[in-house]
Each structure stands twice: as structure tokens, then as C-alpha cells.
Amino acid sequence: MKTICLYFEIHQIVHLKRYRFFDIGTDHYYYDDYANETSISNIANNSYIPALTTLLDMVNESAGQFKVAFSISGVGLEQLEQYAPAVVELLKKLADTGCCEFLAEPYSHGLASLSENAAENFRDETMRMCDKIQELFGQRPKVFRNSSLIYDDEIGAKVADMGFKGVLTEGAKHIMGWKSPHYLYHCCLNPDLKILLRDYKLSDDISLRFSDTSWESYPLMADTYMDWIATLPEQDQIVNIFMELCALGIYQPLDSHILDFLKALPSCAKQRGVTFSTPSEIIDSHESVAPLEVPYPMSWVDEERDISCWQGNVMQREAFDKLYSVCDLIRVTPDRHVKQDWDYLQASNNFRFMTTKNNSVGMNRGIYESPYDAFTNYMNILGDFMNRVHRSLPAGMDIEELNAFQTTIQNQDKKIQALEKQIQRMKASATPKAPKAPKEAKPKKAAAKKESK
């Protein structure tokens, strides 16, 4: 029986304000509060609230047969709590139905998983997000979803070490090749971590193409869409449809009837014998068919499905390296304001504004006129922030001694990680032979003669 895993991501960045070189050292507040309140109110009213209300109705009207999953960034959740608490209340109602699973992701929606220096920070902010989810929604996440579905073998090993049983990522063609995303796979460095792969065509049919009048399948009806799923090969049992929640109302406006389409899916699925499942239910009820090798990071962004939109040019890499050069100092600073700014400055959108790629999907750079403008503004803020980080350290701490000590620890950690990876690869490749069945002892001739008498 085919089952659909429907998952939505919720994330909103904290908008940075214009910050000049001469502001460094004098102005320590980096954010545009008006832009933050305006953007979150707009997206809440035109997307999140009507979409979540529809999803809640779908759960109630299907008597629990319809199921859905969410992940929320910490910085996005902070803005919702401040400017749109009605969204948080709707998420709590969905959690209470027992048909909604909340996943873990990095608190900042940042790129710490890509930095060799930030392994501990990556773990810390993921655990902090798990605590936040448990506090608000009464669930401890068991499945992980990285920022923008970024994943490779090493990230998978880190996620498994944190205790997660599954991870969501992109079913990128350059990784999958001939393989189908409609199966459950596992991390090649740790078989305990199962991998759910996004079907990018079926997902983008809703999130990107639904209201496109030039699309050959326009207008898309719920029964047509469900026919596509039901007529997949019989052995293709898992269909993972992942998208941002703002696709419902922002990317696809409400007047396109996107919510009517969504609401009709459960009944169309039931008629065709197709069910809905959460990520954990799929992991518990299906066996992995094979390991998935992902030597280089992939994501769900742009046609390349890689990390070039955040690290594709010199400006982005310089900003990335400079930010994560202080990650160890962040862990020892007692200044909560510095730690909060660290969360906001890590958000991946800050680096994407600096991209020089020609994207097929239009990108709004906000206050920035160009990627160079975004880089200059961010680096000015980063210059002031790093000065504050050093000033916030405990009195009497020698920075040079601390750096030398941290370098020693990092080198030791790298050696340990290299050895652990080698052990994991050996375990994964080892296939223990089944023990031979003991041979039956032949009866002695004398005994046989005696029995015959």
C-alpha cells in the first residue's frame, strides 16, 4: 500500500538593517524591527494561519487518517511568538491531535553542519531546538531535518550520533541516478539512521507550478495529482512531499484555490487506497533497501541541488569562514545577547543574499541592491559582532592561550572523528558470514547392527 509523507518547513529570518562602516563600535543593534513585524504579520495572515487551519480541518474530518509533519527554526519560532502567537496556538492544536509530528532542525537555520570548526555548535543548537519543541508541543523529535535539507555522509553520521533515527533530505538526481526516492534508505556511515528522500517533481508541482498558467498540467486537480501517485510502480511504496509552508498562500496565492486542492487530497487518496504517514511511522514500518552514499553536500535549493547558493563565490566563503572562526568563543561567552545575535547572524538567508548565481526562481534580496551590497552590509555587522564576542569573554581569559588550547582540542577531535569514520565504514561494509550448520553424526555400524537385532 502506498503512503504519502507530507512535510512542511516554517522559517523566517530576522531582517538586518542598513549598517555602515562608521556604525562599528557605536551601534550594537543590527535588526530592522519594522521589516520583521511587517513580514511575519503578512505571511501569518496570508499563509500560515489559513494553511494551518485547513490542515487541522483535514485531520479532524478524516478521523485521524490524514497526517502531517513540521519542522520550525528557532529564530522563526521566536518571531511567531512575538508577532503572530495565533500561529503557535494552531500548531499546538495540531500537536494535540496525535496526527502531527514535529522534527528537529538547527535552531538558527544556519550552516554550522558545513563547518569543521562548528560540530559542537551544530549539536548544541539542534538539542536546544529539541528542547523548545518539547516545551511547546509536548514531543521530543526523533527525526532530523537540516537547514534547506542539506545532507552528506558526514552530516548523517553526526545526526545519528545525536540519537535521531531518521533524516529528511533531497532526492537529488545527481545523487540518486537510476535509484528511486520512493524507498527508505540508510546512512552509509551508520545504518541506524534512515533516510527519507523528497520527490522534487511531485513537491514542486504544488509549491512552484500549481498556479502557473503556462504549465502543461494547469489547472491541477486533486484527483489527477492522486492518480499520478496511485499509478506509480507497485514497489514504489513511499512518496515524500516536502515544501515550505509559505508555499500555501505566498508562492501559490490563496486565490489560486491551493487550499481547496489540498483539502481534497485525503478523500482522493482514500478512494485509491493511498494513506498518509508521519516520518517516524514510515521508519518504523519499512525496511531500508540500501545505503545511500552522498560524498558531497546536497540540498533542495536551485536546480543544482547543492550548496553553491551559500558558498558559491569568494564573498560567501569569506563571510562564512569569518563567522564560524569564533564559534568556540561563542560556547564560552556568558553574554546572552551575543549568543542571540549569533543565532540570527547564522541564518542561511544572510549568505544566500550574496549569491551571484542566475537562479531560475526569482529571489528577493530585500534591502540589498546587489550581492556585493549584501556582503558589505553583513561584514560591517560581523566586524562589530566579533569585537563584542571578544569583549564578552570572562575576565582574565587569555585569548592566545584559549586559541592554542582550542586548536589542540580540534586536532584531537579530527583524529578521533577520522578513526570513528574508518570504523563505521568497516562495520558498514562488513558482512558476517552465517555460521555453518553442524554436520549430523553418522551412526556407528555396530550400533546399527545391534538395533536391527
Side-chain angles (χ1 to χ4, degrees):
M1 180 180 291
K2 289 180 173 57
T3 190
I4 297 172
C5 179
L6 184 61
Y7 153 80
F8 295 100
E9 180 228 8
I10 299 177
H11 166 64
Q12 287 296 300
I13 67 166
V14 177
H15 293 272
L16 302 179
K17 68 179 182 182
R18 281 287 180 186
Y19 196 88
R20 312 291 181 183
F21 174 80
F22 298 103
D23 293 328
I24 299 175
T26 60
D27 183 2
H28 305 314
Y29 193 76
Y30 314 132
Y31 315 109
D32 187 335
D33 291 334
Y34 176 77
N36 288 327
E37 183 174 4
T38 302
S39 63
I40 198 68
S41 298
N42 174 63
I43 201 169
N45 293 327
N46 293 299
S47 173
Y48 291 170
I49 291 176
L52 291 173
T53 301
T54 299
L55 290 168
L56 184 60
D57 290 342
M58 292 165 68
V59 171
N60 293 331
E61 291 172 6
S62 68
Q65 297 302 306
F66 173 75
K67 297 176 182 179
V68 66
F70 292 94
S71 75
I72 314 171
S73 70
V75 295
L77 194 52
E78 286 181 11
Q79 290 194 76
L80 290 173
E81 289 178 304
Q82 182 175 359
Y83 298 120
V87 175
V88 180
E89 291 305 313
L90 282 169
L91 288 168
K92 288 180 179 178
K93 290 181 180 179
L94 275 164
D96 292 339
T97 64
C99 298
C100 174
E101 180 177 6
F102 288 89
L103 315 183
E105 71 166 73
Y107 193 94
S108 66
H109 198 270
L111 305 173
S113 61
L114 299 176
S115 173
E116 294 183 0
N117 300 329
E120 289 300 319
N121 300 71
F122 176 52
R123 180 185 180 88
D124 289 348
E125 64 172 308
T126 299
M127 292 298 104
R128 188 152 48 98
M129 193 68 243
C130 288
D131 294 339
K132 185 78 172 177
I133 293 296
Q134 188 168 22
E135 175 189 344
L136 284 177
F137 307 118
Q139 296 183 21
R140 188 74 183 177
K142 300 175 182 178
V143 178
F144 179 79
R145 178 261 186 204
N146 202 6
S147 310
S148 300
L149 297 189
I150 295 172
Y151 178 84
D152 65 14
D153 295 335
E154 294 188 2
I155 293 173
K158 294 175 185 175
V159 171
D161 289 342
M162 293 184 209
F164 293 104
K165 65 180 182 180
V167 62
L168 273 56
T169 190
E170 177 73 2
K173 191 68 177 176
H174 68 277
I175 293 295
M176 299 302 295
W178 58 267
K179 294 189 284 291
S180 168
H182 302 144
Y183 296 86
L184 189 67
Y185 296 86
H186 64 262
C187 173
C188 67
L189 296 182
N190 193 325
D192 291 335
L193 183 77
K194 303 305 186 289
I195 303 174
L196 285 81
L197 295 163
R198 176 178 181 260
D199 185 316
Y200 60 84
K201 181 190 179 302
L202 289 172
S203 300
D204 291 348
D205 284 343
I206 298 176
S207 63
L208 298 182
R209 291 183 280 270
F210 182 80
S211 60
D212 182 2
T213 55
S214 65
W215 181 34
E216 60 183 7
S217 297
Y218 179 87
L220 179 62
M221 300 299 176
D223 54 354
T224 301
Y225 186 80
M226 204 54 63
D227 282 339
W228 294 347
I229 294 174
T231 55
L232 287 170
E234 184 179 352
Q235 61 270 26
D236 289 17
Q237 295 293 306
I238 303 169
V239 181
N240 297 313
I241 301 171
F242 305 160
M243 68 190 79
E244 297 177 72
L245 185 61
C246 61
L248 309 179
I250 301 298
Y251 301 156
Q252 307 305 322
L254 296 178
D255 60 12
S256 69
H257 301 288
I258 183 67
L259 296 183
D260 294 329
F261 165 84
L262 188 73
K263 200 166 185 178
L265 289 179
S267 61
C268 292
K270 186 176 181 180
Q271 292 170 9
R272 292 157 179 79
V274 178
T275 64
F276 287 86
S277 301
T278 63
S280 286
E281 288 176 339
I282 290 176
I283 292 169
D284 293 340
S285 60
H286 291 75
E287 294 292 332
S288 170
V289 296
L292 186 70
E293 294 187 7
V294 188
Y296 304 105
M298 63 176 175
S299 74
W300 70 356
V301 177
D302 294 345
E303 292 182 0
E304 296 84 356
R305 304 290 202 266
D306 58 13
I307 60 172
S308 58
C309 64
W310 305 290
Q311 293 192 344
N313 61 47
V314 175
M315 295 183 297
Q316 292 171 308
R317 292 191 292 272
E318 181 179 347
F320 177 87
D321 291 341
K322 188 171 184 180
L323 175 67
Y324 285 104
S325 68
V326 296
C327 61
D328 289 325
L329 303 182
I330 295 294
R331 300 185 69 234
V332 297
T333 180
D335 192 324
R336 63 182 181 88
H337 296 293
V338 166
K339 290 185 174 181
Q340 185 178 52
D341 290 338
W342 168 255
D343 286 335
Y344 298 161
L345 295 178
Q346 279 192 91
S348 62
N349 311 63
N350 293 316
F351 297 93
R352 196 177 185 198
F353 291 147
M354 305 175 200
T355 185
T356 51
K357 292 175 59 179
N358 292 321
N359 296 316
S360 59
V361 180
M363 183 184 66
N364 180 10
R365 296 185 196 271
I367 64 172
Y368 305 122
E369 298 176 358
S370 69
Y372 313 101
D373 185 24
F375 173 74
T376 301
N377 200 71
Y378 186 79
M379 294 303 281
N380 286 340
I381 291 174
L382 204 52
D384 182 79
F385 174 72
M386 293 182 72
N387 290 336
R388 289 172 54 219
V389 170
H390 286 90
R391 290 199 305 268
S392 71
L393 297 176
M397 180 176 287
D398 190 310
I399 301 300
E400 292 184 3
E401 290 182 3
L402 177 63
N403 289 339
F405 180 64
Q406 289 171 340
T407 300
T408 302
I409 293 175
Q410 288 172 5
N411 290 336
Q412 291 176 344
D413 285 343
K414 289 178 182 178
K415 289 181 181 179
I416 293 171
Q417 289 172 8
L419 291 171
E420 287 178 345
K421 289 173 188 174
Q422 186 176 356
I423 292 171
Q424 288 173 346
R425 289 186 186 276
M426 291 173 67
K427 286 181 177 179
S429 60
T431 53
K433 296 180 179 180
K436 294 182 178 180
K439 295 181 178 180
E440 293 184 4
K442 294 182 179 180
K444 294 181 179 180
K445 293 182 179 179
K449 291 180 179 178
K450 189 176 182 179
E451 289 177 0
S452 64
K453 290 179 180 180

